[in-house]
Amino acid sequence: MQSKKTQHNIGVTALYCRLSRDDGMEGDSNSIQNQKKLLSQHAKEQGLDNTRFYVDDGYTGTNFDRPGFQKMIEDIELGYISTVIVKDLSRLGRRYDTVGYYTDTYFPDNDVRFIAVTDNVDSDEGENEIAPFKNIINEWYAKDISKKCRASYRIRGNSGEPLSQPPYGYVKDPSDKKKWIVEPEAAAIVKDIFQMALEGKSNETIARTLQERKVLIPKAYWEEKGYNRGGKVRQPDKYRWCKTTITKTLTQQEYCGDIINFRSYTKSYKNKKKIVNPKENWAIFKEVHEPIIDRNTFETVQKMITKTKRRAPKKENGEKNMFCDFLYCADCGSKLWHHTNSTNKDIHFFSCSNYKKDTRGTCATRHYVRADAIEQVVMLELRRLAKYLETNEEEFAQLLADKTNADMITEQKHLEYELNKALARNSAVTNLLAKAYEDNVGGKLTDEMFMQLSHKYEVEQFELKGKIKEYRERLARIGEMKQNKDDFIKAVRKFMEMKTLTAPMLRELIDHIDVYEKEGASKNYTQRVVIYYRFVGVLDLPDRQENYKADTRKGVNVEYIPASKSA
């Protein structure tokens, strides 16, 4: 049987390094380079040869959502890491509760040895009574640094130094990072946006115009120019401008040459969520840099924005339409959005959120359906369902049983096959990793080749782990299908008692509804509607009669084909 120390020597030894701007006050001892030297030397002294660095350069210790740290945790979850070494406890983090969780619970539960070199902490040598106090001191240090940074931030902001990144149209002056200069190419687009607004064009029209002109959105523009700017995940279509981007551009006072600081704030050094600051708390400094938009133009646009008529709220009687979030486009899979007719506020309808003519999307047709029509169709279908249950209870129960059993058997066989395949491959990859390690130790495989192979196997094993978890969860849910069938029958019985359709009842009975594009003449057409019930999916009852006709508009004959009759 292997000793504990021998077991530690087999796995990967993680050498974790972290440095943030706040650590600059402590001199060069915490530099990434010096941390690497110290950790490598200590690992060598402990006889730990299979080492790998995990580095977070420029990340605060109060936040544990760091890429290097999270990668190390993933590898621990996969069982690759047997030892974690850090320079001191503060490198792991500066929150005593979270650091304590990892050192006292997480690492022992995963059989990981933890070493903090300069703090003389080694889990193989038993508990260290001083470690909790050092964690508290490290958090105090973070709190003290936060206070100093906030004070410095406040001084800089009140002196007129810009605290935020320059908006689209400006860049930082290469010779003085505290100043902004105009970037002609982007500034020309900003001027065009304001000009179109002065001409009375809506934000949607402006966005559409820029898209048609193939103008890069700000995030894509910054990436193309090589500017290191943060932001959300990149928009798949780099030319698709959003109305919100236009709105933000038109309301940004910085384009007049002003600096505005303290638009937002955070509650503490632990909570980094930004909170909008009331306007009276802003610090505004006028005419600091060259303006892109003259002040008269900017103020004129602001007046136009405030006078713009808001669209009618997409609610009926003050409440959200019950079919919101239930209707989907049968062709592209996008949600149908709820709208109110601009001239007749009594008409409410749904249309595809991805329709190319309304939202500059990719769906070719609108999939228009009136809210009152879809309600009538669903009500009629549910009444038919309830009637069938009332008159043919045994047949209805058997229909559900046959459907759920057939679905269950098919799904179960598929999942069991995929699970066994994933388990077998996972076992094979584990053996391949062990073989690669043995070949590397025996000199048959170079370190470079071993790292390449191990990385490839690690990525595959990580993906396999996710699949195995998913398959097991889905197999566990199959056992709930009988209970789901009983719950569905209870929900239909409840509808029979209520005789009306409410939002809670809709959620209890229906998963979603697919709406197809209408077919036929403009005033005499059919439209297919497929209802997917919770737990059981589409139900095609044997007593199918004529299509439903929704009584919504005079002179317009619409037939709705529910379920799968025309499939």
Side-chain angles (χ1 to χ4, degrees):
M1 188 170 179
Q2 292 176 323
S3 68
K4 195 170 184 181
K5 184 164 285 190
T6 304
Q7 288 175 357
H8 283 316
N9 290 346
I10 290 176
V12 172
T13 297
L15 308 181
Y16 180 71
C17 311
R18 182 189 65 80
L19 185 70
S20 73
R21 288 179 297 178
D22 300 339
D23 298 314
M25 298 180 180
E26 297 182 354
D28 293 334
S29 63
N30 274 331
S31 71
I32 295 296
Q33 185 178 1
N34 283 333
Q35 287 184 59
K36 285 184 173 182
K37 287 181 181 178
L38 176 69
L39 301 185
S40 297
Q41 181 62 31
H42 190 81
K44 187 176 181 181
E45 291 171 358
Q46 293 288 318
L48 303 169
D49 299 326
N50 188 16
T51 59
R52 183 177 304 167
F53 285 108
Y54 297 83
V55 179
D56 285 315
D57 195 355
Y59 289 86
T60 176
T62 59
N63 179 9
F64 285 79
D65 190 20
R66 320 170 208 136
F69 183 80
Q70 289 302 320
K71 173 60 181 170
M72 181 176 75
I73 295 300
E74 286 178 12
D75 288 351
I76 290 174
E77 295 284 343
L78 290 169
Y80 300 149
I81 294 176
S82 58
T83 306
V84 172
I85 307 180
V86 295
K87 175 180 177 288
D88 55 52
L89 289 164
S90 71
R91 296 308 91 202
L92 194 65
R94 290 192 183 275
R95 289 189 60 167
Y96 78 93
D97 53 348
T98 311
V99 172
Y101 161 72
Y102 280 109
T103 57
D104 298 342
T105 304
Y106 183 80
F107 291 150
D109 286 351
N110 287 276
D111 195 27
V112 173
R113 178 184 179 187
F114 175 71
I115 300 172
V117 180
T118 59
D119 284 337
N120 296 316
V121 173
D122 188 337
S123 59
D124 270 9
E125 296 175 3
E127 293 185 4
N128 188 304
E129 292 80 5
I130 305 299
F133 297 100
K134 289 187 175 180
N135 287 332
I136 292 174
I137 292 170
N138 289 332
E139 180 163 328
W140 283 346
Y141 175 85
K143 188 175 183 180
D144 181 58
I145 288 294
S146 176
K147 285 182 178 179
K148 292 175 181 176
C149 288
R150 282 173 179 263
S152 172
Y153 186 81
R154 177 65 57 180
I155 292 169
R156 287 163 48 214
N158 284 324
S159 68
E161 179 184 331
L163 300 177
S164 61
Q165 290 278 11
Y168 177 73
Y170 288 104
V171 291
K172 290 182 179 180
D173 188 340
S175 60
D176 187 354
K177 299 295 184 183
K178 296 179 182 179
K179 292 182 179 180
W180 296 348
I181 58 174
V182 174
E183 188 184 42
E185 188 177 344
I189 302 301
V190 173
K191 290 177 181 178
D192 286 348
I193 291 172
F194 273 87
Q195 182 58 41
M196 285 188 276
L198 284 174
E199 293 169 0
K201 294 180 180 177
S202 67
N203 290 356
E204 172 62 29
T205 301
I206 296 172
R208 187 191 300 274
T209 301
L210 295 176
Q211 179 175 335
E212 291 171 352
R213 285 168 48 187
K214 297 292 184 182
V215 176
L216 291 170
I217 60 175
K219 187 75 168 64
Y221 179 78
W222 290 327
E223 287 181 357
E224 186 178 86
K225 294 292 183 181
Y227 299 142
N228 185 20
R229 297 293 297 270
K232 295 181 181 178
V233 178
R234 198 169 100 179
Q235 160 73 260
D237 185 350
K238 60 184 179 179
Y239 301 112
R240 186 174 180 179
W241 286 70
C242 298
K243 291 187 293 184
T244 52
T245 305
I246 303 300
T247 302
K248 183 179 179 181
T249 302
L250 292 173
T251 56
Q252 216 152 5
Q253 191 176 325
E254 285 85 347
Y255 290 126
C256 295
D258 302 343
I259 291 294
I260 302 177
N261 290 329
F262 311 124
R263 289 181 184 267
S264 62
Y265 67 96
T266 55
K267 286 186 175 180
S268 72
Y269 70 101
K270 288 184 178 181
N271 187 349
K272 301 298 182 183
K273 183 180 178 181
K274 289 190 176 182
I275 301 170
V276 176
N277 212 357
K279 198 167 183 178
E280 57 267 23
N281 294 336
W282 294 0
I284 302 176
F285 303 88
K286 293 189 174 182
E287 300 174 1
V288 178
H289 49 259
E290 181 185 349
I292 293 176
I293 305 298
D294 66 84
R295 201 169 298 277
N296 287 336
T297 299
F298 181 80
E299 290 175 355
T300 301
V301 170
Q302 303 318 298
K303 289 176 183 176
M304 293 174 68
I305 290 172
T306 55
K307 288 180 181 178
T308 300
K309 229 178 179 180
R310 292 176 62 87
R311 293 179 66 182
K314 298 179 182 180
K315 296 182 181 181
E316 300 175 36
N317 301 322
E319 295 182 0
K320 183 178 180 181
N321 185 280
M322 74 171 82
F323 286 94
C324 288
D325 302 325
F326 279 96
L327 304 181
Y328 286 81
C329 174
D331 292 317
C332 72
S334 301
K335 274 187 181 181
L336 266 60
W337 281 350
H338 180 240
H339 304 272
T340 300
N341 189 290
S342 57
T343 55
N344 186 346
K345 299 297 188 293
D346 293 329
I347 297 177
H348 305 276
F349 64 94
F350 290 87
S351 64
C352 179
S353 60
N354 188 38
Y355 180 41
K356 63 182 181 181
K357 290 186 180 179
D358 285 347
T359 61
R360 294 174 284 122
T362 57
C363 195
T365 47
R366 200 177 186 196
H367 295 75
Y368 174 99
V369 63
R370 283 180 57 140
D372 50 4
I374 197 70
E375 184 173 354
Q376 287 183 44
V377 170
V378 173
M379 275 292 295
L380 290 168
E381 180 73 356
L382 288 177
R383 283 173 185 164
R384 189 176 69 87
L385 201 67
K387 184 179 179 182
Y388 187 78
L389 172 61
E390 189 177 16
T391 56
N392 305 278
E393 185 171 346
E394 290 186 7
E395 290 181 21
F396 187 82
Q398 187 60 47
L399 176 70
L400 292 183
D402 292 343
K403 180 172 179 55
T404 53
N405 288 341
D407 291 345
M408 180 176 65
I409 292 169
T410 302
E411 180 75 358
Q412 187 173 6
K413 285 182 179 179
H414 171 71
L415 289 174
E416 286 175 349
Y417 171 76
E418 292 296 334
L419 175 62
N420 290 331
K421 188 168 75 170
L423 286 169
R425 180 57 186 170
N426 188 54
S427 177
V429 171
T430 300
N431 293 333
L432 288 169
L433 267 170
K435 180 69 166 56
Y437 176 75
E438 290 174 2
D439 289 347
N440 178 247
V441 172
K444 297 179 182 178
L445 199 65
T446 64
D447 290 345
E448 183 180 357
M449 184 60 71
F450 171 71
M451 291 301 293
Q452 290 179 359
L453 285 173
S454 63
H455 175 71
K456 174 188 172 184
Y457 293 143
E458 286 165 11
V459 170
E460 183 180 0
Q461 205 160 37
F462 178 76
E463 293 174 352
L464 287 168
K465 182 181 177 183
K467 288 181 180 179
I468 290 168
K469 182 181 178 182
E470 179 192 350
Y471 295 148
R472 282 174 172 163
E473 288 176 349
R474 287 168 63 183
L475 280 168
R477 287 198 295 269
I478 285 179
E480 302 172 4
M481 290 186 74
K482 183 181 182 301
Q483 181 62 44
N484 291 342
K485 178 198 70 175
D486 296 337
D487 290 342
F488 181 72
I489 293 176
K490 287 178 184 177
V492 176
R493 290 190 188 281
K494 192 184 295 184
F495 172 75
M496 290 166 61
E497 295 171 4
M498 296 176 66
K499 300 294 183 184
T500 57
L501 185 61
T502 62
M505 181 59 64
L506 198 64
R507 287 192 293 272
E508 203 167 338
L509 280 166
I510 295 176
D511 181 77
H512 71 279
I513 301 171
D514 280 352
V515 177
Y516 287 75
E517 179 62 12
K518 59 187 179 182
E519 297 179 359
S522 60
K523 292 188 177 182
N524 188 9
Y525 62 86
T526 60
Q527 187 168 22
R528 186 173 171 225
V529 175
V530 179
I531 301 173
Y532 290 80
Y533 295 101
R534 292 190 66 198
F535 315 127
V536 296
V538 177
L539 279 178
D540 196 13
L541 299 182
D543 70 335
R544 166 67 62 204
Q545 299 173 356
E546 296 297 319
N547 297 334
Y548 298 132
K549 293 184 180 180
D551 181 20
T552 60
R553 286 175 289 175
K554 289 183 179 180
V556 179
N557 181 29
V558 186
E559 285 190 51
Y560 291 93
I561 310 171
S564 56
K565 182 179 178 183
S566 64

